[in-house]
Amino acid sequence: MNEVAAALVRAMIALGTGAGLDPEPLVEGLSFDERSLPKLKRVRWDEYCVLVERTAAALGGPEQLAEVTAKSYAAALPSEVRIVFRTLVSPKVLYRFMFTVLNPAAFPAMTFEYRDISDNQIFIAAKFRDYVRGCRDFNHCSVGAIQGAPLHLGLPRAEVEVEELTDRTLRVRVTPPESQTLLARVRRTSAADLRDASLRLITLFADDARVRADSIASRTITPQRPVSDEIAERVRLVEAKLGLTRRQAEVLAHVVRGLSNKEIGALLKCAENTVELHLTQLLKKCGVQGRVQLVARFWTDELGA
């Protein structure tokens, strides 16, 4: 219980070296160094605290350590992984996982509390157990981790209001950035667009997305209903970025709504084969292989970013 996983020690050293620090002074006099650390599974908690304090001092103080920690989250995952995470995982779910599952397992020397305050704010607390030494710099580092966690999802940093920060206790209120999961997008759409949103999910995950989307669209989509403002705005961004023709932009808007080629042709007053041609050119410009990827990238902002 008075130990920490060696992987976390390696992560702290990597954090320092990534900020330009020489690792040797950070581990001087400790029972491990860069060569021996990969062979270890756990390290004494006291020594981990010394490493954190030395890193903070070398960076210029605990606030600088928090800032470096927050920034490090932006490069923690490849961009394509962040896109997938952002589509499926909300910031609040990420925080809940961090402070009810991940951190309790990673830091047995501490206790953690997670609580929803409102739809857009959460409460997080961490406390050192009585039998271990406290570490104020570690709590500053935790503030940076809390701020930077949404970067895992390709989202902006969270706003963090510190209620208490001592050598043994951390209490903060967190306002995460707006969720960009598909479910959150569904909730933000108007009632008239909910049928379209459900079709997006089916289009993304069905084995034979095009066939299923076409068959479901004929039953659930009203082609005569205008394209929603949200879709129209996103289409304008993609059109400007990729240089789409007017017809390609129109086809994109209706594909995202879940309409079949036949329905799109009826709306645009052109042959189904013509729609197929526009769609083929559209897929090529967007760099995707089919409707599934097209819809996925459209709703994860990758096309219009």
Side-chain angles (χ1 to χ4, degrees):
M1 294 290 285
N2 199 7
E3 293 179 323
V4 66
L8 296 171
V9 179
R10 292 194 293 269
M12 181 56 62
I13 293 176
L15 187 74
T17 55
L21 300 182
D22 181 356
E24 289 192 13
L26 300 180
V27 298
E28 184 179 358
L30 302 180
S31 63
F32 57 84
D33 55 28
E34 284 192 290
R35 291 180 296 275
S36 63
L37 192 56
K39 303 176 183 178
L40 301 177
K41 291 185 177 180
R42 305 194 72 79
V43 171
R44 286 174 46 204
W45 172 256
D46 289 359
E47 291 193 312
Y48 177 69
C49 290
V50 171
L51 174 63
V52 172
E53 290 165 349
R54 288 178 177 177
T55 303
L59 289 172
E63 288 79 11
Q64 286 72 23
L65 174 61
E67 177 63 19
V68 170
T69 302
K71 287 182 177 179
S72 70
Y73 279 68
L77 295 173
S79 60
E80 61 270 19
V81 176
R82 291 200 298 270
I83 289 170
V84 173
F85 271 28
R86 183 172 68 225
T87 306
L88 301 175
V89 180
S90 71
K92 291 182 74 172
V93 168
L94 177 62
Y95 282 119
R96 188 180 299 114
F97 173 74
M98 289 175 60
F99 287 94
T100 63
V101 178
L102 185 61
N103 282 5
F107 300 102
M110 306 179 70
T111 61
F112 299 92
E113 179 184 355
Y114 170 96
R115 187 171 72 248
D116 288 321
I117 300 176
S118 64
D119 289 342
N120 64 342
Q121 195 172 58
I122 59 179
F123 171 82
I124 293 173
K127 185 176 182 180
F128 291 94
R129 299 184 186 275
D130 292 339
Y131 57 82
V132 299
R133 65 163 287 188
C135 183
R136 187 185 185 92
D137 288 345
F138 177 86
N139 282 338
H140 276 281
C141 184
S142 296
V143 171
I146 294 170
Q147 289 176 328
L151 298 177
H152 271 318
L153 308 177
L155 297 173
R157 294 190 194 185
E159 297 179 11
V160 178
E161 177 188 348
V162 178
E163 292 187 350
E164 181 180 4
L165 196 163
T166 69
D167 62 338
R168 304 198 65 82
T169 302
L170 174 66
R171 295 163 54 88
V172 297
R173 287 176 176 260
V174 184
T175 304
E178 187 177 62
S179 175
Q180 296 298 317
T181 63
L182 288 177
L183 180 58
R185 294 176 187 275
V186 168
R187 288 172 175 168
R188 288 199 293 268
T189 58
S190 65
D193 286 324
L194 288 179
R195 289 173 296 178
D196 289 6
S198 65
L199 181 60
R200 296 171 206 153
L201 296 173
I202 295 170
T203 305
L204 282 171
F205 299 112
D207 292 334
D208 189 0
R210 181 173 177 180
V211 173
R212 297 191 185 191
D214 285 354
S215 63
I216 293 171
S218 64
R219 298 194 304 270
T220 61
I221 297 294
T222 304
Q224 290 75 20
R225 181 162 51 78
V227 174
S228 71
D229 291 341
E230 182 184 11
I231 292 177
E233 178 59 29
R234 290 177 180 278
V235 168
R236 282 192 289 270
L237 292 174
V238 178
E239 182 181 6
K241 179 183 179 182
L242 302 181
L244 303 183
T245 65
R246 180 179 60 84
R247 238 354 171 208
Q248 290 166 358
E250 290 172 338
V251 169
L252 173 60
H254 294 310
V255 167
V256 171
R257 293 178 65 200
L259 272 62
S260 67
N261 287 350
K262 183 177 180 180
E263 290 171 321
I264 296 174
L267 280 174
L268 301 183
K269 295 179 172 53
C270 63
E272 187 174 348
N273 289 343
T274 303
V275 175
E276 182 69 34
L277 177 61
H278 287 309
L279 179 59
T280 299
Q281 295 170 338
L282 176 62
L283 295 176
K284 185 179 298 185
K285 284 189 177 182
C286 293
V288 295
Q289 299 300 313
R291 291 182 182 226
V292 174
Q293 290 186 21
L294 181 64
V295 175
R297 291 193 178 186
F298 183 87
W299 287 110
T300 54
D301 296 329
E302 188 175 356
L303 292 178

